[in-house]
Amino acid sequence: QAPASPAGRRAPLGARLRARPRAPLRSAASAPPLYDVVVSGGGMVGSAMAAVLGHDIHFHDKKIALLEAGPRKEYDHMPDSYSNRVSSISPGSATLLSSCGAWDHVCSLRLKPFRRMQVWDACSEAMIVFEKDDLDDMGYIVENDVIMSALTKQLDAVAERVEVFYSSRAVGYTWPLPSHSSDTSPWVQVELADGRRLQTKLLIGADGHNSVVRKEAEIKNIEHQYDQSAVVATLHLFEATDNNVAWQRFLPTGPIALLPLSDTASSLVWSTSHDHASELLAMDEESFVDSINSAFWSNINHSDFIDTAGAMFRSAISLLKPSGTAVRQLPPSVAKVDPESRAMFPLGMGHATEYVQHRVALIGDAAHRVHPLAGQGVNLGFGDIACLAHHLSAAAFNGSDLGSLKHLLKFETERQRHNVSLIAATDVLKRLYSTTLAPLVLLRTWGLQATNALPPVKEQIMAFASK
Amino acid sequence: QLSLFRFTVKRPFSTSHSSVDSKEMKKFQLLAHKWWDEEGEYAALHSMNDIRVPFIRDTLLSMSSNYHPGNPLSGIKILDVGCGGGLLSEPLGRLGASVTGIDPVEDNIRTADRHKSFDPVLAKRIQYKSSSLEEIVEESMETFDVIVASEVVEHVADLETFIKCCSQVLKPEGSLFITTINKTQLSYVLGIVVAEKIMGIVPEGTHEWEKFVPPKELERLLESNGFSVKTVNGMLYNPLSGSWGWMESTSLNYAVHAVKSGARARSYATDGPSETDIQQHSATAGTA
C-alpha cells in the first residue's frame, strides 16, 4: 500500500523502508532474545560503539549486544615490542574514547603524542608543516592492540548492559516489513553461524570494508581498489631523539610515513605499488632499512626546472609574507627494523551511498574506506560513533523507537557532509601525488607552498581533521 | 485521537450524557490500521511526539526530586485518554511510566495491543482498554498521577463533563496535559482548509472547526473544576520539514499543563471556587 504523500514529505524515505525479507517469522512464543541495539563487528570501531552506548546514561536499562567473529583476546600485559598496526588518533577521537573511560587505560599502557607534522614532496622542495600554535598535541600514535585492550576493559565494566558474543559470526539478517503491516515481527532478525538467533530494534554494521550488513541491506557501495599496498613495520632509530614529529613524504610510487612510537622507535606506513611492496617484504633487513632512509633523504626525483620554479615561488612568498616559508627538516634516520614486523595489505577506497536504513546504520569502514595517507581512517569511524551515539541518546531520552529512520537520517546527513569532502580530498591528493608529470608537480608544489604560507587555511585543515 | 461516543445502543448501567460523539468515532474507525505508518495519514502525530514527549517528561521531572537514569518516568501512572493506536503511550512507556491507554474505538485498541505485543518491556508497562473516560471513572477514582489528553478535546461532545471525569480519576496534585487546536479564523484557514483539503496533512473531515477550543475557554473550565493552569504554550507545525515547534502565539495549536488542587475529592456540581483555588489562581495569573 503506497503511503499517502502530503506535500513536504521527502520521497527517498519511502524508498528506503525495506530490503527484502526472507523466511516468514515465528510466533512470539519461541521468539529469540530481543536487544535494543546489536553491533555487528568487534574491531576498534564496533567495540567503541558498544562501549560508548553502554556508558550512556539514557541507555542505563537497555540491552546491547556486540558480535565479534574472532575469539576474545586477553591483553593482560603489553609485549615489550611494538605491534606493527598503529593508528593516528586525533584529539576528537581521544575525547570520544575518554567519554567511555577508555582513554585513561590507553594512557596508562602506551601512546606517543606528536606535536608537528611535516609533509613534503619527493619531486620538489615544496613542503607543508602543521603544528598547533599553543604547542598542544596534534594527535597521538597508538597501537591498535592498545586501543582494543582499553575498550575490552571498558566493555567488561558495563557487562550487565552490553553482552559481547565472541567467536560469533553473523551469517544472515532478516529485515522487517514496514511497521504498519503489523502481523510479523517488526525487529531485525540476526542469525549466527552456530544457529543461534537474536532480534534487535537497531542493527549497527561495524564489520569493515567488506561489510556483510551493508551487502545484505543492499546498500550500494562506490568502491575502487588502488593499485597500491601498504607496507608496515616497526623501526628502530639510529639515535634517540624527541621524536614528536610525524613525517610523510610523497614519492611518485606513493607516500611513505614515519610515525613516532617512542624516543627510539617509529612505525612505518609505506604505500607503494603491489610489486614494490612484495619486494620490500622479501628483501633482507639491511636493504629494507636502506630503502627507507633513501626514500626520505634522496633527491633523485628532483628536476632543475621544478627546483627553479619552486625557488622562485618561495622567494615571492617570502617577500609578501616573511614568515611564510620554513626550513625543511629531515626525519630521523633508521637503523634497524624489528624482525617479523614487516607486513603488507592492499589499499582501496569505498563509500556507501546510504549510511542508514530502517533499523540499520553503518559506521566505520563499513560506511567509508579511505587511503591511509591522511591518517584519518579510524578517526572517521570514531567521528561516526560520536554523532550516532549523540542522536541515539537523545532518541532514548525521548522514548523514541531506536530504529526509527527519523534520527538515523540526521546522523547520516551530518556524517556524509563531513566524510565525503575528506574522502574526496584524500583521493584527489593520492592521485595528484602519484605522478611525476611536470605540470602537475608544479601545480602541487605551488599549491603546497601557498597553503603552507597561509595559517588560516592550515588551521582549517587541522580543525577539520581533528574532529 | 479520541472519538467519544454518544451511545445509541442501550447499556444497562449508563445513564446521562457522555462525552463521546458517535460521528467522531466513525471517522477514526476507518483509519484504525494506519496508525503506525510514520509516513502515512498520521505522520504529523508521529512527529508531534518530538515536542509533546519532552514537554511531558521535562514538566514531570521538574516536579520530582529524584530521577532514575534510563527510566525517568519510572513509578508514574499515566492515563492516555484517546490513545488511538498508542502513538503517545509507547514513548511514555519506554521512559518507564505505567501507562493505561483508553479509546472507545475497538479497532484502535486492537491495533495498539498488537503493536506493543512485540516488545516485552512495553507489553508489561502499557495496558490498553476499549472504553470511554466515563466508563472507567468508578473503578479508577484518584488512581493516576498524570492524565494525557492529546488531540482529544476537540473531538469531545461535552468538554466540561470530560474535565470533571479527568479530575475524578486524577490523584490530588496530579498533572493534566492537553494538546488541542484553537478556534480562530487562522485555525480555520490553516487547520481545516489547508491542512485537510489542500495539503492532506490531516485526513479530510477529521476536524470540525465548531468544536475547536479557545485556550481561554479551556482555562476557564479547568479552573472552575479544581485545576490550576500552570502552562499554556503555542505549537506550530511546519509542513515543509514535517516537524513541530513551540511558538508564542496560541492561535493555532497549543498545549496546556494543569495541576489538580491538593484538596481531597469534592463535589464539583455546586460549590464555587474554594479559598485554595483562589490562591492558586492568583499565584499563576500572568504565567500563561
Side-chain angles (χ1 to χ4, degrees), chain A residues 208-267:
Chain A
H209 64 261
N210 284 321
S211 167
V212 174
V213 173
R214 188 188 67 222
K215 291 189 185 137
E216 293 281 305
E218 295 179 350
I219 292 176
K220 277 209 172 39
N221 192 43
I222 300 169
E223 57 188 25
H224 176 74
Q225 304 304 324
Y226 290 132
D227 52 357
Q228 284 185 344
S229 283
V231 172
V232 293
T234 308
L235 307 172
H236 293 276
L237 305 179
F238 198 66
E239 53 186 14
T241 163
D242 265 339
N243 209 14
N244 52 17
V245 181
W247 309 94
Q248 176 152 288
R249 191 181 201 193
F250 282 99
L251 307 173
T253 47
I256 178 171
L258 209 59
L259 306 171
L261 289 172
S262 73
D263 286 347
T264 53
S266 287
S267 187

Side-chain angles (χ1 to χ4, degrees), chain B residues 151-154 178-182 213 218 235 252-255:
Chain B
E151 304 305 295
V152 168
V153 300
E154 70 268 23
I178 293 177
T179 77
T180 187
I181 310 178
N182 195 351
V213 184
L218 184 57
M235 295 160 56
L252 287 168
N253 298 71
Y254 63 97

Side-chain angles (χ1 to χ4, degrees), chain B residues 80-95:
Chain B
D80 183 2
V81 184
C83 61
L87 265 58
L88 182 52
S89 300
E90 288 203 3
L92 295 175
R94 280 193 202 99
L95 291 180

Side-chain angles (χ1 to χ4, degrees), chain A residues 50-251:
Chain A
V52 167
L53 287 180
H55 282 86
D56 186 298
I57 191 172
H58 298 125
F59 272 72
H60 189 270
D61 288 11
K62 305 247 183 271
K63 286 175 61 177
I64 302 164
L66 174 64
L67 305 176
E68 165 55 29
R72 181 187 167 104
K73 291 202 202 111
E74 287 312 328
Y75 299 97
D76 282 334
H77 48 265
M78 292 275 102
D80 286 333
S81 59
Y82 288 93
S83 155
N84 61 7
R85 295 307 306 269
V86 307
S87 296
S88 164
I89 301 295
S90 69
S93 298
T95 304
L96 177 81
L97 289 172
S98 81
S99 77
C100 67
W103 191 244
D104 285 339
H105 295 310
V106 170
C107 293
S108 67
L109 284 168
R110 57 187 184 212
L111 80 168
K112 189 75 176 73
F114 61 92
R115 300 250 165 83
R116 229 165 143 256
M117 200 191 280
Q118 178 176 299
V119 178
W120 72 112
D121 200 334
C123 297
S124 78
E125 291 291 321
M127 122 184 129
I128 186 166
V129 173
F130 293 99
E131 65 192 331
K132 285 205 173 147
D133 269 337
D134 42 4
L135 296 183
D136 244 353
D137 296 331
M138 268 191 71
Y140 311 90
I141 304 297
V142 189
E143 294 155 274
N144 294 354
D145 281 345
V146 168
I147 297 176
M148 280 307 307
S149 162
L151 288 172
T152 304
K153 265 210 194 72
Q154 286 311 98
L155 284 171
D156 287 343
V158 289
E160 72 270 17
R161 227 160 289 146
V162 183
E163 214 177 317
V164 186
F165 292 75
Y166 290 103
S167 307
S168 303
R169 175 181 306 280
V171 296
Y173 300 100
T174 307
W175 312 109
L177 294 165
S179 53
H180 51 284
S181 41
S182 50
D183 287 331
T184 53
S185 166
W187 316 127
V188 177
Q189 313 291 317
V190 181
E191 189 178 336
L192 302 180
D194 60 6
R196 276 180 302 173
R197 291 172 156 262
L198 312 170
Q199 299 189 88
T200 180
K201 300 173 187 173
L202 173 64
L203 174 69
I204 299 181
D207 46 351
H209 64 261
N210 284 321
S211 167
V212 174
V213 173
R214 188 188 67 222
K215 291 189 185 137
E216 293 281 305
E218 295 179 350
I219 292 176
K220 277 209 172 39
N221 192 43
I222 300 169
E223 57 188 25
H224 176 74
Q225 304 304 324
Y226 290 132
D227 52 357
Q228 284 185 344
S229 283
V231 172
V232 293
T234 308
L235 307 172
H236 293 276
L237 305 179
F238 198 66
E239 53 186 14
T241 163
D242 265 339
N243 209 14
N244 52 17
V245 181
W247 309 94
Q248 176 152 288
R249 191 181 201 193
F250 282 99
L251 307 173

